[in-house]
Amino acid sequence: MRRTVRILAIDGGGVRGLLPARFLAELEAMSGQPLHSLFDVIAGTSVGGILALGYCAPGPEGAGYSAAKVFEDIRAWLPDIFPPLPGASSLDGLRDAHERHALSQRVGAALLPHHFGNARYSAAALEDHVTRAFGVARLSDALTDVVVTAYDMRGGEPVVFRSRDALRGTTGRANPRMAEVARATSAAPTFLPPLRLLDERAESVLIDGGVVANNPAAIAYLDGVEYGRDDNGTAPDVVLLSVGTGRPSAQQPSYEEIFTRNWASLGMGLLGVVLNGVGEMAHQLVDRMVSGKPAPNQYLRIQPRLPANASLHIDDASPANLDALIRCAESAVADNRPAIEQLIAVLTQPATPPGHLTSATSAEPATATAPLPRQSTGTPTS
């Protein structure tokens, strides 16, 4: 019998990562099983990479973290990682050490980048949170296969951290600490400083994987197919859930507005274009690779349109924006409930044990299950 590989891919998007975090907490609650047992491969980029590591990390007891716990943690972390500047008229804000540090970093990055770096936020809060969450756990400790992307500015090449590769080594780049991987994948240029990672071979200067693979679905698909082949080399069937961080609302800038922007505004706008464009290209590729194949091959992309009150800025951690993202995720669950329930029925069938795709016995294909809709409500058809 042909094997079936179950894959979860999570986009990057800074603060907007709260949307997939909430969605996946609901998915886990509906299924009654932890995500690391529902999926054979979990891939993520940037904040999606942090989520992926959270779902696969062993935790202090070795049983992993629930998706609800990961959601609550991310919601609590975001205002610390992306603190707002204190109001110009608020002296009380300047008395708070955390806000003073945020202000000095923002001003220092603009005036003295050789000392403060060119990132508007310090990495201290992010590093503290991921170190507390992941401790000394390394990639090889993952409860199921995890795949996380980054980009090496010094080497000029993408970097894909794979727990499967980490199992082949014990130290250095091949098996870094999960906290280091989380820090690297989320180092968005101009927002957070890069991570300098040294090993016996070379120095790497790692930044956010979103610059090359903001939607890691295509990478996860290829990994799943490669490692899921049976002893005869037969490719497995694939069930893939891809969760985005929200599409821009229908109201987009006009030609005149884009043409008259200054260089700074245009540059920051292009970052969003790159992230959204790369993500949608990956979606179209995976859709074409999976579409038309018989059950149980299935692909579901959840990428809801953001409401007007949700910010596109990846560093807007205001309470109002976080609430808007949570409500958007809850609406996505409600809008796609039949497809989600059908997906859960497939995911909870006996399947290849997590982390052992190449050595486990074959799973029974879900031949009685109808193919899932390949996209969420409102996502354009490829």
Side-chain angles (χ1 to χ4, degrees), residues 11 47 57 65 106 118 122 130 135 137 193-194 200 222 244 285 327 361:
D11 287 15
V47 66
Y65 297 111
R106 194 80 66 93
N118 57 15
S122 166
V130 297
E200 299 173 353
L222 293 174
L285 289 173
R327 288 195 296 272
T361 56

Side-chain angles (χ1 to χ4, degrees), residues 261-303:
R261 282 179 176 174
N262 59 42
W263 281 105
S265 298
L266 183 63
M268 294 312 299
L270 287 176
L271 177 61
V273 171
V274 169
L275 297 182
N276 292 328
V278 167
E280 286 307 304
M281 179 62 72
H283 158 59
Q284 292 178 24
L285 289 173
V286 174
D287 186 45
R288 293 192 65 175
M289 287 187 287
V290 180
S291 63
K293 293 185 177 180
N297 289 280
Q298 298 177 33
Y299 172 51
L300 176 62
R301 170 73 168 165
I302 300 294
Q303 179 71 317

Side-chain angles (χ1 to χ4, degrees), residues 31-344:
S31 72
Q33 295 186 27
L35 295 180
H36 67 256
S37 68
L38 284 178
F39 296 97
D40 303 303
V41 179
I42 300 181
T45 290
S46 193
V47 66
I50 296 177
L51 294 176
L53 290 165
Y55 303 140
C56 299
E61 305 300 324
Y65 297 111
S66 69
K69 165 68 172 169
V70 173
F71 163 71
E72 293 296 343
D73 283 350
I74 287 290
R75 181 167 63 173
W77 295 0
L78 289 172
D80 291 341
I81 297 170
F82 301 111
L85 285 176
S89 61
S90 173
L91 295 179
D92 290 338
L94 293 177
R95 294 193 187 106
D96 181 88
H98 186 60
E99 292 189 345
R100 278 203 310 273
H101 181 70
L103 178 61
S104 64
Q105 175 64 32
R106 194 80 66 93
V107 175
L111 301 179
L112 300 168
H114 62 282
H115 178 71
F116 287 86
N118 57 15
R120 66 190 71 180
Y121 300 103
S122 166
L126 172 61
E127 291 174 352
D128 180 63
H129 285 306
V130 297
T131 299
R132 288 174 182 271
F134 302 128
V136 298
R138 293 186 176 272
L139 269 185
S140 59
D141 298 318
L143 298 177
T144 193
D145 281 356
V146 64
V147 178
V148 179
T149 65
Y151 184 83
D152 184 0
M153 288 284 288
R154 187 171 177 82
E157 60 183 4
V159 175
V160 181
F161 294 100
R162 295 178 172 92
S163 59
R164 181 172 291 275
D165 291 341
L167 287 169
R168 299 169 182 162
T170 56
T171 59
R173 169 86 152 268
N175 191 23
R177 291 184 295 111
M178 286 187 171
E180 292 175 320
V181 178
R183 170 70 176 82
T185 190
S186 56
T190 77
F191 289 94
L192 289 164
L195 174 69
R196 185 186 188 196
L197 198 60
L198 298 171
D199 60 30
E200 299 173 353
R201 295 171 296 173
E203 173 191 62
S204 298
V205 179
L206 301 174
I207 64 170
D208 196 313
V211 299
V212 290
N214 198 53
N215 174 356
I219 295 173
Y221 174 85
L222 293 174
D223 274 24
V225 169
E226 176 65 23
Y227 296 126
R229 295 181 183 275
D230 62 20
D231 295 337
N232 297 320
T234 303
D237 293 319
V238 172
V239 176
L240 195 155
L241 170 63
S242 173
V243 188
T245 56
R247 294 190 298 136
S249 63
Q251 210 169 21
Q252 294 298 304
S254 65
Y255 171 83
E256 288 75 16
E257 289 173 315
I258 295 174
F259 180 76
T260 57
R261 282 179 176 174
N262 59 42
W263 281 105
S265 298
L266 183 63
M268 294 312 299
L270 287 176
L271 177 61
V273 171
V274 169
L275 297 182
N276 292 328
V278 167
E280 286 307 304
M281 179 62 72
H283 158 59
Q284 292 178 24
L285 289 173
V286 174
D287 186 45
R288 293 192 65 175
M289 287 187 287
V290 180
S291 63
K293 293 185 177 180
N297 289 280
Q298 298 177 33
Y299 172 51
L300 176 62
R301 170 73 168 165
I302 300 294
Q303 179 71 317
R305 190 175 293 281
L306 294 170
N309 62 338
S311 173
L312 289 178
H313 295 292
I314 66 173
D315 60 340
D316 184 355
S318 64
N321 191 47
L322 298 185
D323 287 344
L325 292 169
I326 291 171
R327 288 195 296 272
C328 184
E330 292 169 347
S331 295
V333 173
D335 293 342
N336 294 278
R337 185 168 290 276
I340 295 168
E341 290 174 345
Q342 198 172 19
L343 174 69
I344 290 171

